Amino acid sequence: MCGIWALFGSDGCLSVQCLCAMKIAHRGPDAFRFENVNGFTNCCFGFHRLAIVDQLYGMQPLRVKKFPYLWLCYNGEIYNYKQLQKHFGFDYQTLVDGEVILHLYNRGGIEQTASMLDGVFAFILLDTANRKVFLGRDTYGVRPLFKVLTDDGFLGVCSEAKGLIDLKHNMSFAPKVDPFPPGHYEVLDLKPSGKVASVEVVKFHSPKDEPLHAAYSTVQNLPSGVDVETVKSNIRILFENAVRKRLMAHRRIGCLLSGGLDSSLVAAMLIKLMKEQKISYPLQTFAIGMEDSPDLLAARKVAAHIGSEHHEVIFNSEEGIQAIEDVIFSLETYDITTVRASVGMYLVSQYIRKKTDSAVIFSGEGSDELTQGYIYFHKAPTAEEAAEESERLLRELYLFDVLRADRTTAAHGLELRVPFLDHQFTAYYLSLPAELRIPKSGIEKHLLREAFEDTNLLPKEILWRPKEAFSDGLTSIKKSWFSILQDYIDVQVDDFLLEKAAEKFPFNPPKTKEGYYYRQIFEKHYPGRSDWLPHYWMPRWIKATDPSARTLQHYKSAAKE
């Protein structure tokens, strides 16, 4: 995890422009560098480093003697760099996983490069010999990337939008900043002036497609039957492989643990594999909640079962409310459920950074979208529609849960790893018959739970624990985070303001006081940028007025049982 930033064809003084890059310094607290591109006086790279792999030669832009005309700035981890080295006979000069991008590009061009990378990444690759600039982002957008491209060919690229919004350029209005689409790469021509022109934007991978790099995977030729035992075995093999490959790190590994199914499976598998690999330190697990929260109790059970070094972070309503503005600034969104759920993750990340030496943090993100874990999936009209909704949620992860997970951890200089979004694992799961994936017997994620039924990885009551609304699990039984927020914001936002919300905010107008409150804070930091969020996250197939599962009929009945 780090922060990347680059400018091509800047009209402004580069030393002034570089101040914008300092706005993402939190992403790389270990070192930073600015470097001008030889021969192009108005082009430069900025890099903030969190040293996870190759602490000696990992500074960027990465350049190697073999390809003096290639410059690479990337944020991410490429898990198959050793397999690709072995297969193609690449001669690496560093221990940096991203060096494989230079060798792949030299061997087969940009399309093959993007398709062969098994991992999470956002990159800027400059080829001065052929005067090309390439941008690329992983399938789910686990690593963030934003860009500005003006009509006159000025290009700015950054891990977070905040590093681009104050760039100086000879325009009367601020240039448009857009998120770069996940699973795509872009080719741009670099002119002698240092300006660029976009040639094409290409989609190189979709969640349902088996990734090209699967041909070089350590897991191949899985049985293809769809009988339940075969499917369960394949799920276990692919999930274990997804966690194993993510153990690649020279820094301490920890794991977020809410006590829900997803994070508990990740933590239990981590412990199993760390023992196998004889990793010398215990796994630290981290749970956050208010006093007597259901999540804390469940996480405690899991930690005792798997034998992790467990940390509990207790916060109160005042601390949660005080964090909201910092959270919205970090997130760069005003989406209601994203902000709500980010507060706990932001505070636990703050604790990890200050109180421990864990730097690589595993988490359960992506499972709800992939395995139909949201409570509203019980209302899906057909299995096919549920499958389509699952794919839509995965495509939009970069706007919601993946955005939350990246920004809240990156705000505190931590690197996030999400095994449920492993390309091979997700492609396999999505290839299964729609009927197999829907909730069964009133329990969501039935297939995933069933797959681990006989493994003893988790206590049975955790394996089959129903999904909590995030804000309910996190907070006290007496009063949920959802209710605390409503009570606080009700006093902050006048009824009259809400009535006029559509006039003040014609795009995505807030319909609740909570939505209005978040939007005000967002506009304070990012005025006029509301189109970064195309729509609010909302459940389907029901008349929902709020994204919280707490408002759903099915949730209420499950909670009473």
Side-chain angles (χ1 to χ4, degrees):
M1 201 283 304
C2 49
I4 61 175
W5 182 87
L7 297 187
F8 298 90
S10 172
D11 291 335
C13 168
L14 282 179
S15 54
V16 175
Q17 301 279 49
C18 285
L19 293 172
C20 293
M22 298 315 292
K23 292 186 177 176
I24 58 158
H26 51 272
R27 295 189 72 88
D30 293 335
F32 74 91
R33 173 194 278 175
F34 292 113
E35 193 164 343
N36 289 357
V37 179
N38 321 338
F40 295 92
T41 51
N42 55 1
C43 300
C44 72
F45 286 94
F47 180 66
H48 294 277
R49 184 170 190 221
L50 177 68
I52 298 294
V53 175
D54 195 346
Q55 301 192 2
L56 185 58
Y57 294 111
M59 270 312 271
Q60 296 182 34
L62 186 65
R63 302 179 68 199
V64 295
K65 285 188 181 131
K66 199 171 180 183
F67 315 119
Y69 49 89
L70 295 183
W71 302 58
L72 173 69
C73 231
Y74 83 103
N75 165 210
E77 302 78 46
I78 312 301
Y79 302 121
N80 63 341
Y81 76 111
K82 285 183 177 167
Q83 283 105 297
L84 294 173
Q85 179 185 28
K86 199 168 147 190
H87 183 82
F88 294 116
F90 293 149
D91 178 20
Y92 290 166
Q93 290 175 31
T94 70
L95 301 174
V96 180
D97 49 307
E99 188 185 331
V100 70
I101 295 172
L102 301 175
H103 294 267
L104 283 170
Y105 170 71
N106 180 67
R107 183 185 175 278
I110 193 63
E111 180 148 22
Q112 192 197 46
T113 301
S115 304
M116 285 293 220
L117 300 176
D118 181 11
V120 294
F121 56 84
F123 66 74
I124 308 155
L125 176 64
L126 167 64
D127 177 348
T128 54
N130 294 295
R131 291 229 177 104
K132 296 281 185 199
V133 178
F134 304 98
L135 309 178
R137 191 176 182 192
D138 67 73
T139 306
Y140 295 110
V142 173
R143 291 291 174 261
L145 195 66
F146 286 82
K147 76 164 192 179
V148 158
L149 181 58
T150 65
D151 292 344
D152 67 344
F154 167 56
L155 173 69
V157 189
C158 189
S159 295
E160 297 180 19
K162 55 181 72 67
L164 299 174
I165 55 173
D166 294 324
L167 287 173
K168 300 286 177 279
H169 196 62
N170 60 0
M171 294 169 69
S172 53
F173 51 91
K176 192 168 173 2
V177 178
D178 290 307
F180 190 82
H184 287 71
Y185 66 81
E186 183 169 10
V187 183
L188 303 109
D189 281 335
L190 179 65
K191 298 171 183 178
S193 63
K195 304 276 188 189
V196 302
S198 181
V199 178
E200 58 177 348
V201 179
V202 177
K203 186 173 193 172
F204 66 86
H205 188 230
S206 296
K208 272 183 94 163
D209 304 337
E210 167 113 309
L212 195 60
H213 57 70
Y216 309 97
S217 166
T218 48
V219 175
Q220 286 174 345
N221 305 322
L222 286 171
S224 57
V226 290
D227 59 286
V228 174
E229 288 312 310
T230 301
V231 167
K232 281 164 34 178
S233 166
N234 288 347
I235 287 172
R236 287 193 299 272
I237 290 166
L238 288 168
F239 181 68
E240 183 168 323
N241 183 52
V243 176
R244 183 185 288 110
K245 70 175 78 158
R246 283 166 176 74
L247 288 173
M248 177 184 98
H250 298 159
R251 297 282 289 275
R252 184 169 185 156
I253 288 168
C255 187
L256 299 180
L257 180 60
S258 70
L261 174 69
D262 310 323
S263 63
S264 300
L265 273 177
V266 172
M269 187 60 80
L270 260 178
I271 291 261
K272 174 180 184 274
L273 297 174
M274 285 168 77
K275 280 179 185 159
E276 278 176 22
Q277 294 194 11
K278 298 188 168 51
I279 290 175
S280 57
Y281 55 81
L283 176 71
Q284 292 180 328
T285 48
F286 303 96
I288 185 162
M290 292 185 166
E291 295 283 1
D292 82 359
S293 88
D295 274 4
L296 285 183
L297 297 174
R300 215 174 284 166
K301 265 183 206 157
V302 176
H305 182 83
I306 65 178
S308 62
E309 180 195 300
H310 192 52
H311 296 243
E312 290 186 352
V313 181
I314 312 285
F315 79 104
N316 59 37
S317 52
E318 199 176 309
E319 288 168 317
I321 284 162
Q322 274 181 344
I324 289 172
E325 180 151 357
D326 288 343
V327 165
I328 291 172
F329 176 72
S330 295
L331 292 174
E332 304 174 333
T333 187
Y334 51 92
D335 178 62
I336 296 166
T337 191
T338 305
V339 174
R340 242 183 234 164
S342 292
V343 170
M345 204 161 175
Y346 183 89
L347 293 173
V348 77
S349 299
Q350 190 173 55
Y351 169 91
I352 295 168
R353 179 77 195 167
K354 284 182 179 169
K355 307 280 190 189
T356 78
D357 59 346
S358 284
V360 176
I361 305 300
F362 279 68
S363 177
E365 261 71 39
S367 175
D368 281 326
E369 290 76 8
L370 176 68
T371 66
Q372 304 184 15
Y374 291 115
I375 289 163
Y376 72 87
F377 272 97
H378 289 282
K379 298 289 184 189
T382 65
E384 287 66 34
E385 282 181 70
E388 278 170 29
E389 173 67 354
S390 180
E391 284 169 47
R392 181 189 72 86
L393 289 171
L394 286 166
R395 284 195 302 274
E396 294 188 349
L397 264 173
Y398 77 106
L399 296 166
F400 301 109
D401 279 26
V402 150
L403 179 147
R404 163 178 55 79
D406 172 81
R407 300 303 199 288
T408 53
T409 49
H412 303 290
L414 303 174
E415 179 180 293
L416 184 84
R417 296 201 176 166
V418 283
F420 275 107
L421 291 176
D422 182 79
H423 301 160
Q424 259 186 296
F425 181 70
T426 56
Y428 175 74
Y429 209 97
L430 294 174
S431 75
L432 296 171
E435 280 296 330
L436 275 182
R437 294 181 272 147
I438 54 172
K440 286 191 179 61
S441 315
I443 297 172
E444 60 287 333
K445 293 193 266 208
H446 198 281
L447 178 61
L448 181 67
R449 298 174 198 270
E450 227 184 323
F452 290 94
E453 173 78 277
D454 301 320
T455 60
N456 195 36
L457 270 180
L458 293 175
K460 288 282 189 281
E461 70 266 32
I462 299 294
L463 188 64
W464 293 95
R465 182 188 176 200
K467 181 164 179 63
E468 289 275 7
F470 185 89
S471 59
D472 288 8
L474 183 76
T475 44
S476 161
I477 295 164
K478 300 182 197 83
K479 192 170 189 184
S480 81
W481 178 225
F482 174 82
S483 311
I484 290 162
L485 282 169
Q486 307 312 308
D487 291 355
Y488 171 74
I489 290 167
D490 192 48
V491 185
Q492 307 301 313
V493 177
D494 193 87
D495 291 344
F496 177 73
L497 287 175
L498 188 61
E499 279 169 34
K500 300 282 182 191
E503 289 171 36
K504 188 170 184 182
F505 306 119
F507 183 81
N508 272 346
K511 302 228 174 9
T512 63
K513 286 189 174 185
E514 187 184 6
Y516 192 98
Y517 183 71
Y518 297 160
R519 180 66 171 271
Q520 272 187 315
I521 296 172
F522 175 85
E523 293 287 345
K524 175 177 149 186
H525 294 290
Y526 307 109
R529 310 282 185 174
S530 59
D531 60 348
W532 288 343
L533 178 72
H535 59 87
Y536 290 102
W537 193 99
M538 276 288 185
R540 288 269 164 111
W541 306 307
I542 45 177
K543 288 191 174 71
T545 52
D546 186 278
S548 174
R550 155 170 283 273
T551 61
L552 306 188
Q553 199 57 46
H554 185 89
Y555 180 68
K556 287 174 183 166
S557 60
K560 281 177 196 159
E561 282 162 17

